[in-house]
Structure formats: structure tokens, C-alpha cells
Amino acid sequence: MKTCDKCGSCYDDAFDLCAVDGALLLVAFAGARVVGGRYRLEQRLDSGSMGTVYRAVHQDVGSAVAVKVINPEWSGNALIEARFRREAQLLGQIKHPNAVLVIDFGVDERGMLYLVTEFLRGEPLSHRIHKKALTLEEVERLITPLCEAVE
């Protein structure tokens, strides 16, 4: 699968240029952009040291979901894979309106671990913080629901 470094759009391996902005596509990982046989990756949303999160579509249902996959460089690393599994188990135990709902977890035919959650629209907190400093009231408004969910 390939992605556009500018807009995050996902493409099958046969494509070389982004249809949205004409940018050169980069290889994200080997193989098709369908994960777990049913989640078609549409756009890269964010990435961290361990994984990348994509907006995806459940091919059978048509609903938007978020799919986190282990970055290829960590594939086969027992410690990282154990941490990813533990993350999925812990998130899956939280059932609260202020927490994201875990829908699925698995290992696809490539051996790639993935975690599927409901897709939430909104602005990432990191973007909000970079725009301007949060007031104490804003921090309280954000942190209180989070604490209630974890409690």
C-alpha cells in the first residue's frame, strides 16, 4: 500500500501519484490496503513511534472506522507486539461514553497487527495545543471526561 505524504490518501501498489494533489506516493507497507480482509484504508490520520492510524471503511457494512497498525519496522518485535496487544486488551475493557469503542483486533494474513475502533471526527488535541495555549478551564473541560472514562 502507498500513501500520499501531503494529504494522507491511501492507494493500492499500482499507483505512483496522488489523485488529490499529484504528489509522489510513498510505500507504507507491502500488499493491499485492505487490513484483516475487511477494512479498506482510505487516509493516514496520524502516526507515532509504534503505529499508524488510518481512517478506513468496513467493506461489508460501509461504516467509517479508525484502524491502527503496527509500523512495518516493528513487525516481528515480540516486545512491541505484546505492548500493542495489551493496548487493545485495556482499551477493549473500557465501556464509557467518553472513551473510544474498540470494534476489532487481529493479525492479518501478512502478520500485521491491527486495532479497529470507532471513527471520531474532530481536531486532534496536539493541533489544538499548537494553535494556542489552553486555559485552565479548557484543560479541566478536556481532562474531566477522560478521568471519568478511565475511572
Side-chain angles (χ1 to χ4, degrees):
M1 182 191 83
K2 296 180 180 178
T3 60
C4 175
D5 203 32
K6 288 184 179 180
C7 70
S9 295
C10 298
Y11 294 90
D12 291 322
D13 290 337
F15 293 88
D16 293 318
L17 297 175
C18 179
V20 176
D21 52 39
L24 191 62
L25 301 176
L26 304 174
V27 176
F29 54 81
R33 65 182 175 135
V34 175
V35 174
R38 60 188 165 272
Y39 305 105
R40 187 180 65 248
L41 305 183
E42 299 287 328
Q43 183 180 25
R44 185 191 68 246
L45 300 174
D46 205 356
S47 61
S49 60
M50 188 169 71
T52 302
V53 178
Y54 298 89
R55 178 179 49 78
V57 173
H58 189 296
Q59 293 191 127
D60 296 330
V61 179
S63 60
V65 295
V67 178
K68 181 177 182 179
V69 299
I70 290 263
N71 289 335
E73 63 267 22
W74 297 114
S75 184
N77 182 308
L79 179 62
I80 295 295
E81 289 184 359
R83 286 179 59 193
F84 194 75
R85 286 178 190 277
R86 185 72 179 140
E87 176 185 343
Q89 291 168 346
L90 291 172
L91 283 175
Q93 293 175 21
I94 299 174
K95 304 290 187 241
H96 193 276
N98 296 336
V100 68
L101 178 66
V102 173
I103 297 170
D104 195 3
F105 174 77
V107 180
D108 78 356
E109 62 281 353
R110 292 170 280 223
M112 186 167 55
L113 274 76
Y114 63 92
L115 171 66
V116 182
T117 66
E118 65 182 315
F119 177 72
L120 301 177
R121 298 189 188 281
E123 179 183 27
L125 181 58
S126 60
H127 293 180
R128 174 67 178 82
I129 291 171
H130 286 3
K131 286 182 183 176
K132 71 171 196 165
L134 298 174
T135 66
L136 286 177
E137 291 80 18
E138 290 172 314
V139 170
E140 179 185 15
R141 189 171 43 82
L142 293 169
I143 296 298
T144 301
L146 175 63
C147 292
E148 290 171 355
V150 174
E151 180 186 37

